[in-house]
């Protein structure tokens, strides 16, 4: 008898706990597959400390392969589920597709940033749901303080040192609290203009900080924030976001270069595609976490609307505590449905309290209903996190100890750019990369990879707007290509780039289209003896003589001379053998005489492209150090002159 197949979608709090519990219960009697975009579990409550430089990024991640024994990890994102056929389709990290069959499916895909119809927010704000967003915020804040310290204009200095956080919930409160401490420590090393200090604003339409938590805990957090210097404004939000700042609902315009969006989360859009009953975007399940009418389908965590048996008529909140506990119950009920465990159990919970780490020794906590503040609350908060983390406890404790006795390292790593962490994304745990599979339209709608640096160093309007012209020559802009060679990138449209590529697919018609230009085998074969030039190039007549030169006339016209697909040019493989070339009339004084021109050992040919590189076309500036970044796929070995440009 074959073992049952269990597929779990998502490795957040719910999915990770489900996989770990199922592995322990089944003990090899079932095939357990975990589908997740990353190879780690992210401990979200400590993410603000990563953005503030307290913890290193890997401290808040736990390896799935190392901790989930007997569970098969598949990297990818689910993009379609056939409920009747019991199959799940996914897309891997390199654009490859795959299908997983299952006997039981557990949906624990988690949540993404919640968007509101406020002009400019999608273009100028960044969320805080994944590790890439935390790394970007740390670099961005560091850069703003350093630029403000060097600014001569007081207004520019004040704008760069003003940071706006929208949403006074759990995440937003901790981001503002840790952020104020982080920037205050930075200005001690990079003093600002006299009388200036970093300014953090915390906005929310709610009447108080942490509105979903106990009032005493809320009052403690509010007091700590105000004492630290955070400008807490309740009943206020953003009306419009622009390059120069944000317009508040009370009519005030705040000059800023930083807008952090922490207004809440929404369920992963995957569940909307199932066509099953939803409750505010969450999949309706019974108290046993099973979807009614679908015995093989379970859901838990933020994507599931789980009935709250302690409060009849309501559903459990979208919190990490509920997700962690629901993961265990889901695993037990899945095993029971397969006859591999005990009886089914409904999900019941009892609040154990909440903790809010406000940085340093300050925190607010109410364990078992006992309200705490100050140092005792700080001890309880950190002890709770160490107990709740499924790994890295020693490393986290060591980082906390080092942070208490050593100054923080505030440097820009530049690993994550503004355009790679868009607010409107279904995968905040993944940073967008140039040329990534299926990401062209999304990344191309934003500024290029230099957007974060350019927008932070130049006060130009339209920072990051979707309607702007992308930075030319930058990966991620849909209308440019990265040319090989040491010279500056030459803008080319995607249609032009497709010309001359055998079997090239027009832009927008094929999956996984790339931002970078790829050299075809026919182009690589030029200059190699005995190779036949490729014919019937798609895309019409190639440009004359050189890539990037005079554009082809018409589509489907006569191929240009010296280009593959047309009449073979002299001195080119496949044409009439030229003099001084193998197979043609031997050159005079050969051999033993003066070496012929264009031959190895002789005078190099003039106006010939160097092997492995393409010269910039006429009118372009000479090669320099400002070459546009981006990888180029090459099939010939580059020479030494191309080093540093890949």
């Amino acid at each position: 008898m074959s073992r049952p197949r269990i597929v779990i979608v998502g490795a957040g709090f719910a999915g990770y706990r489900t996989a770990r519990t199922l592995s322990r219960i089944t003990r090899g009697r079932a095939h357990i597959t975990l589908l997740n975009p990353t190879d780690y579990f992210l401990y979200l409550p400590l993410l603000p400390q990563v953005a503030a430089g307290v913890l290193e990024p890997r401290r808040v991640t736990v390896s799935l392969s190392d901790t989930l024994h007997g569970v098969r990890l598949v990297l990818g994102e689910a993009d379609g589920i056939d409920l009747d056929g019991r199959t799940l389709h996914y897309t891997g990290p390199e654009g490859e597709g795959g299908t997983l069959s299952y006997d039981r499916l557990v949906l624990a895909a988690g949540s993404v940033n919640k968007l509101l119809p406020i002009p400019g927010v999608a273009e100028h704000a960044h969320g805080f749901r994944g590790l890439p967003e935390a790394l970007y915020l740390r670099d961005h804040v560091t850069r703003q303080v350093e630029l403000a310290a060097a600014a001569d204009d007081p207004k520019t200095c004040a704008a760069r040192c003003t940071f706006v956080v929208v949403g006074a919930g759990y995440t937003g409160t901790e981001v503002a609290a840790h952020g104020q401490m982080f920037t205050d420590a930075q200005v001690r090393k990079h003093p600002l203009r006299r009388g200036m200090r970093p300014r953090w604003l915390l906005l929310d339409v709610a009447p108080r900080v942490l509105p979903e938590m106990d009032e005493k805990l809320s009052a403690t957090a509010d007091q700590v924030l105000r004492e630290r210097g955070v400008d807490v404004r309740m009943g206020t939000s953003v009306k419009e976001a622009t390059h120069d700042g944000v317009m508040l609902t009370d009519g005030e315009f705040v000059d800023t270069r930083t807008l952090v969006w922490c207004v809440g989360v929404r369920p992963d859009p995957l569940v909307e595609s199932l066509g099953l009953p939803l409750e505010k975007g969450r999949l309706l399940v019974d108290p046993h976490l099973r979807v009614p009418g679908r015995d093989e389908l379970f859901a838990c965590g933020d994507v599931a609307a789980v009935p709250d048996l302690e409060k009849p008529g309501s559903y459990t909140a979208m919190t990490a505590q509920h997700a962690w506990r629901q993961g265990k119950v889901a695993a037990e009920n899945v095993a029971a449905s397969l006859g591999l465990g005990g009886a089914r159990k409904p999900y019941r919970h009892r609040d154990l309290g909440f903790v809010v780490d406000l940085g340093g020794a300050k925190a607010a906590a109410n364990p078992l209903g006992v309200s705490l503040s100050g140092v005792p609350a700080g001890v309880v908060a950190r002890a709770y996190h160490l107990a709740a983390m499924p790994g890295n406890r020693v490393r986290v404790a060591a980082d906390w100890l080092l942070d208490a006795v050593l100054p923080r390292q505030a440097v820009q790593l530049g690993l994550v750019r503004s355009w790679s962490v868009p607010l409107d994304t279904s995968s905040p745990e993944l940073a967008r990369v140039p040329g990534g599979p299926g990401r062209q339209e999304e990344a191309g709608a934003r500024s290029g990879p230099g957007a974060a640096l350019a927008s932070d160093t130049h006060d130009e309007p339209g920072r990051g707007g979707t309607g702007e012209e992308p930075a030319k020559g930058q990966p991620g802009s849909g209308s440019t290509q990265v040319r090989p060679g040491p010279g500056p990138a030459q803008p080319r449209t995607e249609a032009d780039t497709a010309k001359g590529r055998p079997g090239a697919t027009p832009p927008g018609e094929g999956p996984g289209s790339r931002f970078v230009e790829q050299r075809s085998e026919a182009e690589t074969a030029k200059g190699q003896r005995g190779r036949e030039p490729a014919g019937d190039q798609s895309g019409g007549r190639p440009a004359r003589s050189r890539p990037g030169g005079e554009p082809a006339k018409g589509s489907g016209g006569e191929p240009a001379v010296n280009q593959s697909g047309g009449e073979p040019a002299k001195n080119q493989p496949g044409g009439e053998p030229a003099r001084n070339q193998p197979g043609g009339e031997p050159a005079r004084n050969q051999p033993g005489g003066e070496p012929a021109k264009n031959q190895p050992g002789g005078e190099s040919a003039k106006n010939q492209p160097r092997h492995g590189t393409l010269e910039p076309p006429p009118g372009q500036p000479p090669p320099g150090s400002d070459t546009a970044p981006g990888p180029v796929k090459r099939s010939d070995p580059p020479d030494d002159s191309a080093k540093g440009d890949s």
Side-chain angles (χ1 to χ4, degrees):
M1 182 178 179
S2 61
R3 293 182 294 172
R5 298 161 299 178
I6 304 173
V7 174
I8 305 168
V9 180
F13 280 90
Y16 181 85
R17 186 77 182 278
T18 300
R20 195 173 72 170
T21 306
L22 272 173
S23 175
R24 177 180 55 82
I25 294 176
T26 59
R27 298 184 181 276
R29 293 177 293 170
H31 286 289
I32 305 174
T33 301
L34 178 61
L35 177 67
N36 197 58
T38 64
D39 64 349
Y40 59 81
F41 160 77
L42 176 64
Y43 190 76
L44 272 170
L46 293 181
L47 205 57
Q49 297 191 29
V50 173
V54 177
L55 296 176
E56 289 301 310
R58 287 185 297 176
R59 304 295 186 259
V60 298
T61 63
V62 177
S63 172
L64 299 177
S65 300
D66 292 346
T67 57
L68 297 178
H69 304 292
V71 176
R72 175 194 174 204
L73 173 63
V74 176
L75 294 178
E77 297 180 76
D79 49 26
I81 299 175
D82 182 0
L83 296 176
D84 295 328
R86 295 195 178 188
T87 57
L88 179 147
H89 185 271
Y90 68 92
T91 301
E94 296 183 352
E96 73 281 7
T99 302
L100 298 173
S101 300
Y102 62 84
D103 296 303
R104 296 292 184 271
L105 177 64
V106 181
L107 294 179
S111 55
V112 298
N113 293 310
K114 182 180 180 180
L115 298 178
L116 296 177
I118 300 177
V121 167
E123 294 80 15
H124 302 287
H126 290 281
F128 203 80
R129 290 290 301 167
L131 198 55
E133 293 171 323
L135 292 176
Y136 165 74
L137 182 61
R138 186 171 69 177
D139 273 7
H140 176 78
V141 170
T142 301
R143 180 166 55 252
Q144 294 306 309
V145 173
E146 292 173 348
L147 292 173
D152 295 327
D153 181 23
K155 184 177 180 181
T156 300
C157 178
R160 293 195 182 281
C161 278
T162 299
F163 309 93
V164 179
V165 180
V166 184
Y170 185 94
T171 301
T173 299
E174 288 197 342
V175 168
H178 283 276
Q180 185 72 65
M181 291 187 65
F182 182 48
T183 52
D184 285 346
Q186 280 186 272
V187 297
R188 286 195 286 269
K189 302 176 184 178
H190 305 278
L192 303 177
R193 300 175 65 88
R194 179 169 298 182
M196 289 188 178
R197 65 167 296 189
R199 176 191 180 197
W200 285 77
L201 279 77
L202 180 61
L203 313 176
D204 202 308
V205 294
R208 59 185 176 91
V209 174
L210 302 173
E212 69 278 7
M213 299 184 183
D214 181 76
E215 291 188 6
K216 292 183 178 180
L217 190 150
S218 173
T220 299
D222 185 274
Q223 181 181 356
V224 172
L225 290 172
R226 295 181 187 275
E227 290 177 352
R228 192 166 291 169
V230 178
D231 187 354
V232 181
R233 300 192 183 186
M234 296 294 97
T236 306
S237 188
V238 173
K239 183 178 181 181
E240 181 182 2
T242 67
H243 160 66
D244 297 318
V246 294
M247 175 66 71
L248 305 184
T249 53
D250 60 6
E252 179 184 354
F253 186 84
V254 178
D255 292 323
T256 183
R257 299 292 184 272
T258 308
L259 180 59
V260 187
W261 195 253
C262 303
V263 298
V265 295
R266 58 190 173 97
D268 191 288
L270 173 67
V271 297
E272 298 177 359
S273 64
L274 300 179
L276 298 174
L278 302 176
E279 171 64 28
K280 295 182 179 180
R282 294 197 285 173
L283 196 60
L284 279 172
V285 297
D286 61 23
H288 300 92
L289 308 182
R290 188 180 62 182
V291 176
R294 293 283 178 179
D295 294 341
E296 78 285 358
L297 184 59
F298 293 78
C300 53
D302 290 350
V303 298
V306 181
D308 191 341
L309 300 183
E310 303 296 324
K311 301 176 182 178
S314 61
Y315 299 93
T316 58
M318 298 168 63
T319 64
Q321 282 192 11
H322 282 300
W324 186 254
R325 299 169 184 172
Q326 289 170 9
K328 180 182 178 183
V329 174
E332 292 172 345
N333 290 339
V334 168
S337 69
L338 295 171
L340 302 177
R344 294 190 308 160
K345 301 178 181 179
Y347 175 70
R348 292 182 179 274
H349 72 93
R350 184 171 67 91
D351 286 337
L352 300 178
F354 290 92
V355 296
V356 181
D357 193 325
L358 301 175
K362 299 296 182 67
N366 59 348
L368 302 177
V370 179
S371 299
L372 299 175
S373 61
V375 176
V379 172
V380 170
R382 298 202 168 185
Y384 169 79
H385 288 313
L386 288 179
M389 287 194 68
N392 289 348
R393 296 185 180 94
V394 175
R395 290 185 173 93
V396 170
D399 273 7
W400 283 339
L401 178 61
L402 292 175
D403 181 68
V405 298
L406 297 176
R408 298 181 191 177
Q409 295 176 299
V411 295
Q412 301 178 51
L413 298 179
L415 300 177
V416 183
R417 298 290 190 173
S418 173
W419 58 269
S420 62
V421 282
L423 181 63
D424 187 7
T425 174
S426 60
S427 300
E429 64 274 13
L430 292 178
R432 296 295 177 254
V433 296
R439 307 298 181 198
Q440 182 168 357
E441 293 183 1
E442 182 175 345
R446 302 181 66 82
S447 302
L453 183 59
S455 64
D456 295 335
T457 55
H458 300 285
D459 293 328
E460 297 178 359
R463 172 172 57 113
T466 57
E468 298 175 6
E469 178 184 359
K472 295 184 178 180
Q474 299 291 342
S477 77
S479 61
T480 60
Q481 295 290 332
V482 179
R483 305 283 301 173
Q490 177 190 8
R492 298 184 67 199
T493 64
E494 296 179 5
D496 290 338
T497 304
K499 296 179 181 179
R501 292 186 188 172
T505 304
E509 295 184 9
S513 55
R514 299 281 180 176
F515 297 117
V516 296
E517 181 179 5
Q518 300 180 0
R519 299 186 63 189
S520 65
E521 295 181 2
E523 292 173 335
T524 306
K526 293 182 181 179
Q528 297 181 9
R529 182 176 58 185
R531 294 292 296 272
E532 189 74 13
D536 299 329
Q537 299 289 338
S538 61
R541 177 184 177 186
R544 295 177 182 267
S545 302
R546 299 196 189 281
E550 179 183 354
K553 296 180 180 180
S555 176
E558 178 186 359
V561 179
N562 299 340
Q563 292 295 325
S564 57
E567 178 186 357
K570 296 182 179 181
N571 304 334
Q572 295 294 330
E576 177 185 354
R579 297 182 180 181
N580 305 338
Q581 295 293 332
E585 179 184 352
R588 297 180 180 179
N589 302 328
Q590 296 280 344
E594 178 184 359
K597 296 181 179 181
N598 303 336
Q599 293 295 325
E603 180 182 355
S604 59
K606 297 180 180 180
N607 302 326
Q608 292 294 330
R610 300 181 63 184
H611 182 64
T613 62
L614 294 177
E615 295 180 2
Q620 291 294 324
S625 59
D626 57 347
T627 306
V632 177
K633 182 178 180 181
R634 308 174 65 145
S635 54
D636 56 338
D639 61 5
D640 292 339
S641 64
K643 290 183 179 180
D645 297 324
S646 60

